[in-house]
Amino acid sequence: MTSGPHTAEQPTLNKDVPWDSFDPGAYIGNNYLDMKTVDEEIVSRVRDHFSDRLRGSDRVLSGIDVGAGPNLYPSLAMLPWCEHITLLEWSANNIEYLQRQLPGYEGHWEQFWKVLREGPAYEGLNPKTLFRDAAHPVRGSLFDLCHTERRWDVGTMFFVAESITESLEEFRRGVGCFMNALKPGAPFAAAFMEHSEGYRVGDLEFPATYDIDTDEVRAALQDFAHLDDVHRMADVGHLVRHGHTGMILVCGRRKE
C-alpha cells in the first residue's frame, strides 16, 4: 500500500482504471503544446545518452516506447538508430491519436525535434518521414512485457509505471516488465513523477504511486540495469503538472 496523502484503504490498481476514456487532446493541452523547461532538459539528456551509447550504430535497430500515450518525443529521440519503433499503448483513444500522427505529426512536436537536432546524430534527418516509416502503434499492456522475449535494442518509458497504479508492488512489477523487454546491453531512458498524488486529464482523475523517489527508482532497477545517470528535477513551482514534488530521469543500459 502506498503512503500518499490521498491513499485509500485499498490502492487503485491498473485494472481498475478506465483507460479507454483517457483524453489525449486534454493531456497534450496540459503538457506538450508548449515545451516546458523540464521537458527540454529531459529531451537534451536523452538525446546525449542515446548519442553516446549508440554512436556508430546503423539505422537498423528495433526500439520500443512503453506506454507511449500522446507523447512523441521519446520515439523521436530513437529515430536516428531505429528502423522500427513499437509504440506500446493500452488506451484505445491514445492508439487512435498515435495512428493519426503517422502521415505527418502535429506541428507542436517540431519544438522537441529542434532540441534533438542540436545533436549531430539528428542533423539532416527528416523526422516526419522517419517517424511515419518507423513508428508502429501496438495495443498492449506494460505488463504483457513480462511474458515476452528480450527483443528490443533500445527502449523508453516516460511517466508510465508510477502513473497507472497506486500500488508500489505493481509499480515495481511494471519496471521489471519494461526491463524484461530489452536485449542485454540495450540503452534505455525512463522518467518518473516523484511523490505524485495522481493527475487529472479532462474530467477524469488517474492514479499514481506516491512512494516514488530516487531511492525507490534505483531499487526497482538495480537487478536489471547499469545506471549511467539518475537525475532529479525539482518542481520549481511553475510546472503545469501539479501534485508532485519533482521528476526523475534515468538513463542506463540493460544488464547482460
Side-chain angles (χ1 to χ4, degrees), residues 8 10 29 78 99-100 131 140 150 206:
Q10 293 295 325
M78 293 186 276
Q99 290 172 336
R100 291 198 304 270
F131 182 80
R150 296 171 64 180
F206 290 88

Side-chain angles (χ1 to χ4, degrees), residues 97-113:
Y97 170 81
L98 292 168
Q99 290 172 336
R100 291 198 304 270
Q101 303 308 300
L102 296 180
Y105 55 71
E106 295 170 356
H108 59 267
W109 296 112
E110 291 292 345
Q111 61 194 322
F112 296 92
W113 183 258

